[in-house]
Amino acid sequence: MRIAHCSDVHITENYFSLPLHRLGWRRWVALAELTVGGRARRYAQAPRTLAAIATEAQARQVDHFILSGDLTAYALEGEFLGARRALGTLADDPRRCTVIPGNHDVFTPGSHRTGRFARHFGHLLESDLPEYRREGAFPFVRLVGTEAAVVGLLSARVPHAPGLSYGVIGPAQLEGLAALVKDARLAGRAVLVTVHHAPLNPKGRPDRWHHGLRDADALLRLLPGPRYAVLHGHIHHRYHHPATAERPHVFGAGSSTEAGNEGYWLIDVAGGQITGGQQYTPVL
């Protein structure tokens, strides 16, 4: 069994074609990142790249496709529409595809309040075991074939200000996850827990205070050993920390559509264990 994992695709609108009053002050601040920081240039081909990744994953006959957040640059309606178009028919069916929001997808209070992410991707938050939901749709679980289960968590919160992009899962979701992994219906399955923020950075240490997952330790303690993996994005580096007896595999998908760093994981599952993964660069 194979699971495809990508993240941080950052579909980006042409911000300079939009009226400033529609953007709001948070996006005004972000314009510096788009221009001087070069983000708009690096993600100019993101729709094409995401479409190529989705097409390749299907050609490789993956059993499930996971996108661990940051579909958009700054949570504009047109960016969500662009991400949905790029994923094509893959995103029609929750049995084939899981997508969770990242911090860029709830960048403004308005985008969160109006449920912009859910309007386009809420059908992919369905759960095969809904009794474990604790915060809206989360945690949700999808039983994939007979060997795997994909669990979705929410760590992305509306930031108090641009530059503060830390994540929090929260005690309610963690309690639901703790109960879920003990459910007999998950026995013998590899469990791939998807969250946007990174529990470990590329060096195997906690991420920075203003950027990291605040309850990372609590998450990792619930998932010991090679039966489990945490799949995340947020940090724009692609890496894998193998499981130990005390913690799960950790797969960081990086930014799958960033120019010069395009790529995704194919993660292998066999005998109810995560057995490894391979990085692929899409053919563009």
Side-chain angles (χ1 to χ4, degrees):
M1 177 173 283
R2 301 191 101 183
I3 307 292
H5 175 214
C6 70
S7 198
D8 292 63
V9 298
H10 291 299
I11 306 299
T12 305
E13 278 268 40
N14 179 359
Y15 277 66
F16 298 99
S17 70
L18 301 171
L20 281 176
H21 74 272
R22 282 186 53 196
L23 298 181
W25 71 268
R26 293 169 185 259
R27 296 192 186 94
W28 297 346
V29 175
L31 288 177
E33 185 178 38
L34 283 170
T35 54
V36 178
R39 181 182 284 272
R41 182 177 65 254
R42 295 196 303 275
Y43 290 98
Q45 298 302 315
R48 175 171 167 254
T49 304
L50 178 56
I53 290 171
T55 299
E56 284 188 18
Q58 293 176 93
R60 295 180 188 277
Q61 298 184 316
V62 299
D63 295 276
H64 203 75
F65 184 95
I66 295 172
L67 202 170
S68 54
D70 278 2
L71 286 77
T72 67
Y74 299 110
L76 285 175
E77 180 74 14
E79 294 170 343
F80 284 110
L81 285 167
R84 187 69 180 77
R85 282 194 299 267
L87 286 168
T89 59
L90 184 62
D92 290 342
D93 187 354
R95 293 170 299 179
R96 301 171 64 204
C97 184
T98 291
V99 178
I100 62 167
N103 59 295
H104 279 256
D105 304 321
V106 293
F107 191 74
T108 64
S111 64
H112 175 66
R113 184 175 59 252
T114 59
R116 200 165 289 162
F117 173 89
R119 284 208 303 274
H120 298 283
F121 296 99
H123 63 290
L124 298 179
L125 307 181
E126 293 178 10
S127 183
D128 292 329
L129 305 176
E131 61 268 33
Y132 294 108
R133 288 174 167 167
R134 297 295 186 271
E135 183 181 348
F138 302 93
F140 64 85
V141 61
R142 189 117 341 102
L143 303 178
V144 181
T146 60
E147 291 191 81
V150 173
V151 176
L153 297 175
L154 175 67
S155 64
R157 311 294 173 173
V158 179
H160 296 296
L164 292 177
S165 55
Y166 60 83
V168 178
I169 299 167
Q173 286 186 70
L174 289 170
E175 180 274 322
L177 177 63
L180 170 61
V181 297
K182 296 175 184 175
D183 192 297
R185 288 168 287 186
L186 267 63
R189 292 177 181 265
V191 179
L192 298 95
V193 175
T194 305
V195 65
H196 180 63
H197 291 78
L200 298 172
N201 70 13
K203 295 182 179 180
R205 295 196 288 264
D207 195 7
R208 295 160 291 169
W209 178 89
H210 69 282
H211 194 261
L213 181 62
R214 293 287 176 84
D215 37 14
D217 287 345
L219 172 64
L220 296 177
R221 282 196 299 270
L222 292 175
L223 308 167
R227 183 183 164 212
Y228 300 100
V230 173
L231 280 53
H232 71 84
H234 197 52
I235 294 179
H236 288 189
H237 295 279
R238 199 165 296 113
Y239 52 92
H240 171 214
H241 298 307
T244 69
E246 292 78 32
R247 64 161 175 76
H249 292 273
V250 176
F251 288 92
S255 179
S256 293
T257 61
E258 183 178 15
N261 295 300
E262 300 93 344
Y264 59 101
W265 283 103
L266 289 186
I267 299 170
D268 298 313
V269 173
Q273 307 274 315
I274 289 92
T275 57
Q278 293 177 276
Q279 299 182 46
Y280 287 86
T281 300
V283 177
L284 301 173

